[in-house]
Amino acid sequence: MPPTHTAQSEGPSGYREAVELEFAEATKRYPGADSPAVDGLSLTVPAGEICVFVGPSGCGKTTAMRMVNRMIDISSGDILVGGRSVKDRDVDELRREIGYVIQQIGLFPHRTIADNIATVPRLLGWDRPKINARVEELLDLIGLPQDMSKRYPAQLSGGQRQRVGVARALAADPPLMLMDEPFGAIDPINRERLQNEFLRLQAEIRKTIVFVTHDIDEAIKMGDRIAILQVGGKLAQYATPSEILLHPANEFVEDFVGADRALKRLALLRVSDIELGPSNGGPSIRDTALVRDALSDLLQHGALHGNVVDSGGRTVGGISMEALARLAKA
Ligand SMILES: Nc1ncnc2c1ncn2[C@@H]1O[C@H](COP(=O)(O)OP(=O)(O)OP(=O)(O)O)[C@@H](O)[C@H]1O
Ligand SMILES: [Mg+2]
């Protein structure tokens, strides 16, 4: 049975309303360190959005994330979940409300997949039927067959384990999810598949998500907004992917997003998003294609024009190399 979309706290399939997350001058100084690991971080993640923390190794991504569920204490400033300071919360209660996916997945090796997914519901004292229903529902949601629930983590592939990690974090239906390099240890092909699956899942469940990666391409793909951090835990820029690609705030961001930022921007747009000219013939390009793929098509055909068609094969306009070059420069 497909999950319902109502925001309710009852029943295994009730999705709780996502919450806003706010960092307010949040700072972490580790004892003995000369400079802060996270320095006066201020940003707001609107409810139901994915915020990606990205930046070079050691810039404070994990530290910033772990202050949210108080696995690391905040030195000064504050973090608010749903408008309430995390400092005023009971730590256990707070953590049960926040799904956490760690980089190495961290499944319990001697527990079955079903028992792993049921970890938090069991802590919350749900009854057996409710837990079983939730496990069943989550296996469906992450696209694993029901009979995998009796296996142990070692009997799954890396990508399957990763999905179980996501299911476990979702089990008690947390309004907020923290994901630290969740797809870090996975090969590029499966990584791309998991990214796509996760975006589909998020379209359905609409959680507030903090997603850490050091890969700018993953950040651009996954983020509604991206926070780029510099070493020393300073926020270099917080904006939508296209804003960051179009207007990098400083040289650090410009270097970090890479010299091909014009091309990366074209991967954010679909042909139907751009202004089309009259058709001058050329290879057929679907209106739903990514602009970057349309560009590759033209290059492959050695064509200067493409004929844009809709799902019924009807011509809806044309694109030209010239127009794409203008777009990339805009
Ligand atoms: N427990 C600790 N005690 C002292 N310093 C720490 C501690 N944990 C992290 N640091 C330091 O704080 C800084 C930020 O570390 P953090 O783990 O947040 O970085 P990160 O951005 O997640 O890096 P990576 O991409 O390598 O995972 C680093 O300089 C790190 O050495
Ligand atoms: Mg880290």
Side-chain angles (χ1 to χ4, degrees), residues 270-286:
R270 297 201 177 267
V271 172
S272 54
D273 296 331
I274 66 175
E275 208 177 310
L276 301 176
S279 176
N280 287 313
S284 280
I285 290 169
R286 263 310 301 279

Side-chain angles (χ1 to χ4, degrees), residues 24-327:
E25 293 290 322
T27 298
K28 177 64 190 181
R29 279 181 215 88
Y30 285 110
D34 295 339
S35 53
V38 174
D39 194 359
L41 180 64
S42 291
L43 59 84
T44 299
V45 187
E49 286 200 0
I50 301 181
C51 167
V52 179
F53 284 178
V54 66
S57 182
C59 70
K61 303 180 294 292
T62 298
T63 302
M65 173 178 271
R66 285 162 72 103
M67 286 195 287
V68 176
N69 63 4
R70 288 182 50 196
M71 295 178 80
I72 293 176
D73 284 328
I74 305 169
S75 306
S76 66
D78 206 350
I79 294 174
L80 308 167
V81 173
R84 284 173 74 191
S85 168
V86 296
K87 295 177 185 173
D88 300 338
R89 304 289 308 275
D90 174 74
V91 172
D92 293 329
E93 188 194 273
L94 178 73
R95 287 187 194 154
R96 276 185 229 122
E97 279 178 24
I98 300 177
Y100 186 38
V101 184
I102 58 172
Q103 174 161 14
Q104 293 313 329
I105 309 169
L107 298 181
F108 302 114
H110 303 299
R111 288 192 194 165
T112 63
I113 298 310
D115 286 343
N116 265 284
I117 294 175
T119 305
V120 176
R122 222 183 290 114
L123 283 174
L124 291 173
W126 291 12
D127 60 34
R128 257 288 143 204
K130 185 173 168 185
I131 291 178
N132 292 345
R134 183 65 176 152
V135 168
E136 218 170 277
E137 178 181 62
L138 282 163
L139 283 170
D140 273 350
L141 203 62
I142 59 169
L144 289 185
Q146 293 296 334
D147 59 12
M148 269 196 190
S149 67
K150 294 187 185 65
R151 291 202 210 166
Y152 290 88
Q155 298 168 313
L156 267 58
S157 76
Q160 290 166 340
R161 278 202 291 271
Q162 190 67 63
R163 283 189 259 177
V164 174
V166 171
R168 186 176 61 175
L170 281 170
D173 204 16
L176 174 65
M177 299 262 288
L178 307 176
M179 308 179 77
D180 198 349
E181 307 226 17
F183 309 140
I186 292 169
D187 66 273
I189 291 170
N190 279 304
R191 188 176 195 190
E192 173 146 22
R193 225 191 46 221
L194 280 171
Q195 289 169 342
N196 294 340
E197 276 172 12
F198 191 76
L199 286 174
R200 256 199 308 278
L201 189 62
Q202 166 66 355
E204 200 171 319
I205 62 181
R206 286 271 159 225
K207 299 291 178 191
T208 307
I209 294 168
V210 179
F211 187 109
V212 167
T213 178
H214 57 262
D215 174 358
I216 185 66
D217 292 309
E218 184 167 66
I220 290 167
K221 177 165 183 184
M222 302 302 287
D224 294 303
R225 283 159 212 260
I226 301 177
I228 301 193
L229 293 167
Q230 250 164 302
V231 171
K234 285 193 194 305
L235 184 62
Q237 189 166 10
Y238 182 50
T240 61
S242 50
E243 181 65 16
I244 280 175
L245 292 170
L246 203 53
H247 303 298
N250 56 33
E251 221 166 287
F252 170 79
V253 175
E254 206 173 324
D255 282 352
F256 194 77
V257 297
D260 60 340
R261 66 188 166 91
L263 278 181
K264 286 178 171 144
R265 236 167 57 73
L266 295 186
L268 288 173
L269 294 170
R270 297 201 177 267
V271 172
S272 54
D273 296 331
I274 66 175
E275 208 177 310
L276 301 176
S279 176
N280 287 313
S284 280
I285 290 169
R286 263 310 301 279
D287 53 355
T288 51
L290 295 174
V291 174
R292 183 153 80 174
D293 295 338
L295 175 63
S296 319
D297 264 13
L298 293 187
L299 290 172
Q300 244 168 37
H301 286 88
L304 291 174
H305 303 279
N307 181 49
V308 180
V309 296
D310 65 13
S311 58
R314 285 174 296 262
T315 297
V316 293
I319 52 170
S320 64
M321 283 299 246
E322 210 185 333
L324 291 179
R326 265 202 312 275
L327 199 64

